[in-house]
Amino acid sequence: MRRIGSIGVIGAGAWGTALALTAARAGLAATLVGRDPAVISAIGNDARNPRYLPGIDLRPAIAASTDVADALAADALIVAVPAQAMAGFVETLRGRTRPGHPILLTAKGIDRRTGKRLSELLVEALPGCNPAVLSGPSFATDVARGLPTAVTLAAPDEVLAAELSQALGSPAFRPYAETDMTGVELGGALKNVLAIAAGIVAGRGLGASASAAVIARGFAEMRRFAVGLGARPETLMGLSGLGDLMLSCSSLQSRNFSHGVALGEGKAAAAGTLVEGVATAAIVARQAAESGIDMPITRTVAAILDNRITIGEAVEDLMMRPLRRETD
Amino acid sequence: MRRIGSIGVIGAGAWGTALALTAARAGLAATLVGRDPAVISAIGNDARNPRYLPGIDLRPAIAASTDVADALAADALIVAVPAQAMAGFVETLRGRTRPGHPILLTAKGIDRRTGKRLSELLVEALPGCNPAVLSGPSFATDVARGLPTAVTLAAPDEVLAAELSQALGSPAFRPYAETDMTGVELGGALKNVLAIAAGIVAGRGLGASASAAVIARGFAEMRRFAVGLGARPETLMGLSGLGDLMLSCSSLQSRNFSHGVALGEGKAAAAGTLVEGVATAAIVARQAAESGIDMPITRTVAAILDNRITIGEAVEDLMMRPLRRETD
């Protein structure tokens, strides 16, 4: 049995820092690697990350470095870079990982250019590695503060999923081991699109009933799409699907939801690259159309983001759909 | 084909009044029956219900009466009395309904004394009637204000479900026709228990991640219980299950959620009879134990309400459960 005693984390943003801290709290030797020397120095020397996790004490101590090799030297690697940066990032790891190297991805999205899941990009670039993904309802600041959090940790290798869950788990941070990569990754990606939809409904002041209806109907299409691509239905109903969907659709801490709110309020919000659901909406709407999977909410969000339809027209469209059986 | 041109509504509280108004807006002749002459007079003469829907203009006009016979004379009957009053109420209808009389129930709960669904009480008392239930994410004030709302309307008689949905539907109020009474009724009842759980987590300040985890794990047990009793899994994932769960777990407008918040904040909140989840938690926890269905969240809520466990112990208990596969 593999023993995981040390973790390297790449990406010293809020989520990477929170995960390195979580690993340290679980008793692992944690090394956090980032590009910005000022951030890395603050983490290593002052146990602080004032840029991304202001006011949070990063102890037990995390080793910090600007050299990716320091993260690769650990027993397992956590990659906390943004979804749309993943394709480029995994290329930089070519030839630098060990056979069976456990690599845990934590971004939520689908590659905009290829339509692939992030773990697919990973195993294509590094065929010998042992991939895993972490997803579920979690905000970096909550995790860093030690508020109780439950997430899903999936790997095709069931033993690795269990080992990583065990290694990273602590009373306040509970990863549930899973093997359904497709379900976990698609759930995490699609919930961002639906969070934009829920935000639009909230920003437009349509009321809590309409929000709940959009989320429930959105969940049905998220499940339909993921199951069509091979996910287990149960996975979509778990923490990384339904749980994360609920969190993202109800909190302004979610960038996707707050982007939707701004759209619903009629503020011309420029879609920054950090709003992951914007990239995902376009690619999923296209894939769904190609596969003949009905996704009216995703399609509508994509059309709004593309300026092909106004929000007024979208609401009219969604609410006026002919009455029919709910579970068709 | 039956034609529904008129609706009688019994119960002039917020929900009964909102539904009568919705029927009137859909072009039906609506008659609302209540016991309080002052409320009935305000509705009939002033198009207002200042006690239960203050500030809302009740037009198009609703006929109002204190005589149940006036509601029974309509083509279909809507019963909007509280869940725990249903057993007594249906007895009063014995011998007063027609064969095939369409009767639509709108309360959410399980009879505390017998453990039966409300439609089971109805058909036992009135074996010749044609039962239906309306459930889903909806607040009376939102519906009365004309905010867009989508709900589930179930009847064992598929034609009746479609007819009632068609008759009551309007651009802002969309009932989806269903036939799975068990799924719709159990979803509506169980979400109240989980709303108390979510309220406790919020009131205790455990953070949004913990809330989402409790709701997602709670949804899994709600589904397990309902499917065990014959519900279709898809129904639980629809508006009347998941949709209503999300609404109730996120809004202080929900009495169950706000009761949980008060408990979580350590305020000794007396459990009023209007907090339907209190009655449901006890009966479902008992039924689940008898049937061997694992419902840790419902069991914990019942134990808290019963003062058999403190909230501190409950949180410890739920978060410290051994790490295991999520979908077990």
Side-chain angles (χ1 to χ4, degrees), chain A residues 137-138 148 152 158 174 176 208-209 212 215 219 223 237-239 242-243 246-247 318-319 321 324-326, chain B residues 137-138 148 152 158 174 176 208-209 212 215 219 223 237-239 242-243 246-247 318-319 321 324-326:
Chain A
S138 49
T152 303
E158 189 166 15
R174 301 182 59 202
Y176 284 90
S209 304
I215 298 169
F219 175 69
R223 184 168 168 277
M237 283 186 277
L239 294 165
L242 183 55
M246 280 183 299
L247 183 68
L318 284 177
M319 292 308 292
R321 293 179 74 212
R324 57 186 181 98
R325 287 176 62 89
E326 181 181 354
Chain B
S138 48
T152 304
E158 188 166 16
R174 300 182 59 201
Y176 284 89
S209 304
I215 298 170
F219 176 69
R223 186 168 168 275
M237 283 185 276
L239 293 165
L242 183 55
M246 280 183 298
L247 183 68
L318 284 177
M319 291 309 292
R321 295 179 74 212
R324 58 186 180 96
R325 287 174 62 90
E326 181 183 353

Side-chain angles (χ1 to χ4, degrees), chain B:
Chain B
M1 185 173 169
R2 194 187 301 105
R3 290 297 300 265
I4 298 171
S6 60
I7 290 273
V9 181
I10 294 178
W15 195 217
T17 305
L19 289 172
L21 180 60
T22 298
R25 283 187 189 137
L28 303 175
T31 302
L32 181 57
V33 171
R35 282 186 298 202
D36 185 330
V39 168
I40 291 305
S41 160
I43 294 167
N45 300 326
D46 312 326
R48 305 249 152 221
N49 185 340
R51 181 167 320 162
Y52 296 109
L53 286 176
I56 293 176
D57 182 7
L58 302 180
R59 279 182 294 190
I62 302 165
S65 165
T66 54
D67 186 351
V68 168
D70 291 329
L72 288 166
D75 294 336
L77 181 70
I78 293 179
V79 179
V81 308
Q84 298 309 326
M86 194 65 72
F89 175 75
V90 293
E91 290 302 325
T92 70
L93 294 183
R94 268 191 206 272
R96 304 187 65 187
T97 57
R98 304 179 293 276
H101 204 135
I103 303 183
L104 178 66
L105 305 182
T106 66
K108 296 167 185 172
I110 292 177
D111 183 53
R112 177 202 291 267
R113 202 174 55 77
T114 61
K116 291 181 179 163
R117 291 181 282 112
L118 305 182
S119 75
E120 293 180 304
L121 301 179
L122 178 70
V123 296
E124 281 174 14
L126 309 169
C129 81
N130 206 348
V133 293
L134 179 79
S135 195
S138 48
F139 289 127
T141 48
D142 286 3
V143 170
R145 288 205 177 91
L147 290 176
T149 302
V151 295
T152 304
L153 194 159
D157 173 353
E158 188 166 16
V159 175
L160 177 66
E163 283 177 352
L164 282 171
S165 296
Q166 207 66 49
L168 291 169
S170 57
F173 187 79
R174 300 182 59 201
Y176 284 89
E178 251 292 354
T179 55
D180 180 8
M181 298 283 279
T182 305
V184 171
E185 290 188 272
L186 292 182
L190 292 168
K191 65 93 189 173
N192 285 333
V193 179
L194 300 176
I196 295 175
I200 291 172
V201 169
R204 190 123 179 139
L206 294 177
S209 304
S211 281
V214 162
I215 298 170
R217 303 286 291 161
F219 176 69
E221 68 181 51
M222 156 174 162
R223 186 168 168 275
R224 201 151 54 221
F225 181 81
V227 170
L229 267 67
R232 291 173 59 223
E234 292 76 17
T235 308
L236 277 300
M237 283 185 276
L239 293 165
S240 61
L242 183 55
D244 207 0
L245 176 66
M246 280 183 298
L247 183 68
S248 301
C249 287
S250 62
S251 170
L252 288 169
Q253 275 189 269
S254 158
R255 279 189 294 258
N256 293 284
F257 181 76
S258 54
H259 183 62
V261 169
L263 287 168
E265 288 172 343
K267 296 177 187 155
T273 51
L274 284 177
V275 182
E276 188 47 61
V278 174
T280 305
I283 185 87
V284 170
R286 202 176 72 206
Q287 289 180 332
E290 286 166 7
S291 317
I293 300 172
D294 189 31
M295 299 188 80
I297 295 173
T298 300
R299 193 169 62 229
T300 303
V301 170
I304 290 171
L305 294 170
D306 227 17
N307 292 313
R308 282 182 281 116
I309 183 174
T310 68
I311 288 173
E313 289 163 351
V315 169
E316 184 78 0
D317 191 40
L318 284 177
M319 291 309 292
M320 294 297 284
R321 295 179 74 212
L323 295 180
R324 58 186 180 96
R325 287 174 62 90
E326 181 183 353
T327 48
D328 275 357

Side-chain angles (χ1 to χ4, degrees), chain A residues 20-40:
Chain A
L21 179 61
T22 298
R25 283 188 188 134
L28 303 175
T31 302
L32 181 56
V33 171
R35 282 186 298 200
D36 184 330
V39 167
I40 290 305

